Amino acid sequence: MAVWALGINHHTAPLDLRGRFAFALDQIAPTLHGLRDSLSSASGRHPGVETAIISTCNRTEIYCAAEAPALDHTLDWLAHSGGVSPALLRSHSYSLENSLVARHAFRVASGLDSMVLGEAQILGQMKDAVRAAEGAGALGTTLNQLFQRSFAVAKEVRTSTDIGAHSISMAAAAVRLAGQLFEDLTKIRVLFVGAGEMIELCTTHFAAKTPQQITIANRTLERGEKLATRFGGEVMRLADLPDHLHEFDAVISCTASTLPIIGLGAVERALKKRRRRPIFMVDLAVPRDIEPEVKQLEDVYLYTVDDLASVVQTAQAHRQAAVAQAEAIIDAGVQSFVHWMELRSPAAQNGGVVPLIQQLNSQADEWRALEIARAKKRLAKGEDIETVLEALSRGLTQKMLHGTMAELRAGDAEARAQTAQAVSRLFLRSHSKNGL
């Protein structure tokens, strides 16, 4: 199987271009069906192609596995879905194959490729994307292995290094910027637009500063009320936002809308009612929730996800040692994945490695079944359980070592020496955490 990935992120593409390729979670399944159909029809490709899409504020990435790579076709399909030319997308994208795909996925899952170095939110977003791919029937053995190993590597990075110890989240950065504009955050009124995970995180950070008022505006009142209740806030229908925008000093927005929900005209009217008192606005949505022209208004301080980049990187120097540790963990994970891929290759199959592994597993299962059957008979006769367990373990050990012992006793001195080396390597080596 060949594995390839194509993507754009905050390193390679501007915000508005990323917005063209943002897929809401409920769009992933139908999008994957379209992608698989397109890849399957290209050059008579086998219909069993595996696909997954990760789409966040900072990236959209397509992961695929099939008998042969199809990077150009994947790029053409993505360009068409975003309504841009393949040439434009190519100039802002990156493409990877095989081990480089694994390395990239492991770094993304571990937070090493995020705007906020070491942030943990991307791991949850990747897991959501994998669940969506599984639900769409688009995930096969190869990509499943890739992502499960990504999650395992990310967990080890998180627990074994201080990669996230000094990170500044987008939410914390928004509070920091608001504090630079307003002398006292306890006197401001804050409006949160949306009720998703990012807004919940932002509300938590702002609530810690005890602002004068917290209001949640959302399309559905039920979800908005649930979040507002947690923070002693109020709730508002999204449709009522233009009439009440002037009441708020700070507006934080992050919805899944494909079009801006706060326009230039609405903000101009709000500023007029506020008698030119400034409004602090943060647009964390991709595509944008707030029209970009709003930034040109004299009394508006509008920040996007890209504008926050310099703020969230202030602790970068403190994390370099942790990054080096994380990269070493990722290197080991990549080597393990490549080895797994090699074992599944036609060469390995023809060379007898996989059949031999299958025979070993079959033989071990046979021995285990025999000893368990004997143990059950002895237990049925009323024998002491500790005695039965001791006999079971001894029986298994003798079966597993019988052939080895026979080889060590047989043959000439040279053959016995070679066997002894092999036995030492197989049975007497120390077992590390990543021994398999």
Side-chain angles (χ1 to χ4, degrees), residues 190-196 199-200 203 213-218 220-221 223-229 231 233-238 248:
V190 188
L191 172 66
F192 297 96
V193 184
I199 288 296
E200 183 177 356
T203 309
Q213 180 183 334
I214 288 177
T215 300
I216 309 294
N218 198 50
T220 57
L221 276 181
R223 189 168 181 181
E225 285 174 348
K226 185 177 180 181
L227 185 58
T229 300
F231 299 100
E234 302 175 7
V235 68
M236 176 197 307
R237 291 188 184 277
L238 200 57
F248 300 97

Side-chain angles (χ1 to χ4, degrees), residues 30-308:
T31 302
L32 286 174
H33 287 311
L35 173 58
R36 295 186 79 202
D37 289 344
S38 178
L39 288 171
S40 297
S41 62
S43 303
R45 189 169 302 282
H46 190 274
V49 61
E50 303 176 30
T51 57
I53 294 177
I54 296 172
S55 184
T56 72
C57 292
N58 294 327
R59 73 184 65 247
T60 293
E61 296 178 342
I62 295 175
Y63 291 81
C64 300
E67 293 179 355
L71 272 166
D72 288 342
H73 187 86
T74 306
L75 186 139
D76 289 345
W77 177 89
L78 184 60
H80 181 265
S81 72
V84 303
S85 69
L88 176 62
L89 178 58
R90 185 173 283 106
S91 67
H92 289 284
S93 64
Y94 45 91
S95 56
L96 307 160
E97 292 187 62
N98 300 323
S99 64
L100 294 180
V101 176
R103 181 175 302 280
H104 180 75
F106 295 174
R107 296 186 83 255
V108 170
S110 301
L112 267 66
D113 195 59
S114 297
M115 183 179 290
V116 183
L117 184 62
E119 60 93 8
Q121 187 180 12
I122 183 62
L123 183 58
Q125 293 169 326
M126 286 184 72
K127 290 181 177 180
D128 288 342
V130 170
R131 281 192 287 268
E134 286 177 331
L139 212 61
T141 303
T142 301
L143 287 190
N144 186 61
Q145 274 287 323
L146 173 69
F147 287 119
Q148 294 307 319
R149 288 168 183 262
S150 298
F151 303 154
V153 166
K155 181 179 180 181
E156 186 171 356
V157 167
R158 185 74 47 188
T159 56
S160 302
T161 76
D162 293 328
I163 192 68
H166 304 282
S167 65
I168 302 174
S169 70
M170 288 290 188
V175 173
R176 176 177 293 190
L177 288 171
Q180 293 175 4
L181 178 62
F182 302 107
E183 291 184 5
D184 188 352
L185 294 183
T186 64
K187 296 180 179 179
I188 69 171
R189 300 173 185 270
V190 188
L191 172 66
F192 297 96
V193 184
E197 184 178 354
M198 180 57 77
I199 288 296
E200 183 177 356
L201 189 61
C202 288
T203 309
T204 302
H205 279 74
F206 271 92
K209 301 297 182 179
T210 61
Q212 181 178 344
Q213 180 183 334
I214 288 177
T215 300
I216 309 294
N218 198 50
R219 291 191 189 282
T220 57
L221 276 181
E222 183 181 356
R223 189 168 181 181
E225 285 174 348
K226 185 177 180 181
L227 185 58
T229 300
R230 279 185 54 193
F231 299 100
E234 302 175 7
V235 68
M236 176 197 307
R237 291 188 184 277
L238 200 57
D240 297 330
L241 188 152
D243 294 331
H244 296 275
L245 187 59
H246 66 281
E247 300 172 8
F248 300 97
D249 306 293
V251 179
I252 319 296
S253 186
C254 187
T255 75
S257 175
T258 57
L259 296 172
I261 56 178
I262 300 177
L264 177 64
V267 179
E268 287 177 328
R269 290 190 295 273
L271 286 172
K272 187 175 181 180
K273 291 181 181 179
R274 289 176 61 81
R275 299 181 185 275
R276 315 308 300 183
R277 284 183 294 120
I279 301 179
F280 172 76
M281 308 185 82
V282 178
D283 186 354
L284 296 174
V286 179
R288 296 175 189 257
D289 277 346
I290 303 173
E291 287 186 345
E293 292 81 7
V294 169
K295 195 167 189 174
Q296 306 305 318
L297 297 176
E298 185 175 348
D299 296 302
V300 173
Y301 297 83
L302 171 62
Y303 298 88
T304 67
V305 287
D306 288 355
D307 294 327
L308 297 181

Side-chain angles (χ1 to χ4, degrees), residues 336-374:
S336 178
F337 179 72
V338 169
H339 179 64
W340 178 82
M341 289 285 287
E342 287 173 347
L343 286 179
R344 298 182 70 242
S345 69
Q349 297 281 348
N350 296 334
V353 176
V354 173
L356 180 58
I357 292 174
Q358 293 171 340
Q359 290 172 18
L360 285 171
N361 284 329
S362 178
Q363 180 67 81
D365 285 340
E366 183 180 333
W367 288 337
R368 183 177 58 84
L370 283 171
E371 292 303 322
I372 287 177
R374 287 178 181 175

Side-chain angles (χ1 to χ4, degrees), residues 390-423:
E390 181 70 25
L392 185 149
S393 63
R394 192 184 309 113
L396 276 176
T397 302
Q398 290 174 347
K399 284 181 170 59
M400 293 173 66
L401 294 179
H402 174 73
T404 301
M405 296 300 188
E407 287 296 320
L408 285 171
R409 297 188 183 100
D412 56 27
E414 184 179 352
R416 288 197 300 271
Q418 291 178 348
T419 301
Q421 289 179 358
V423 170

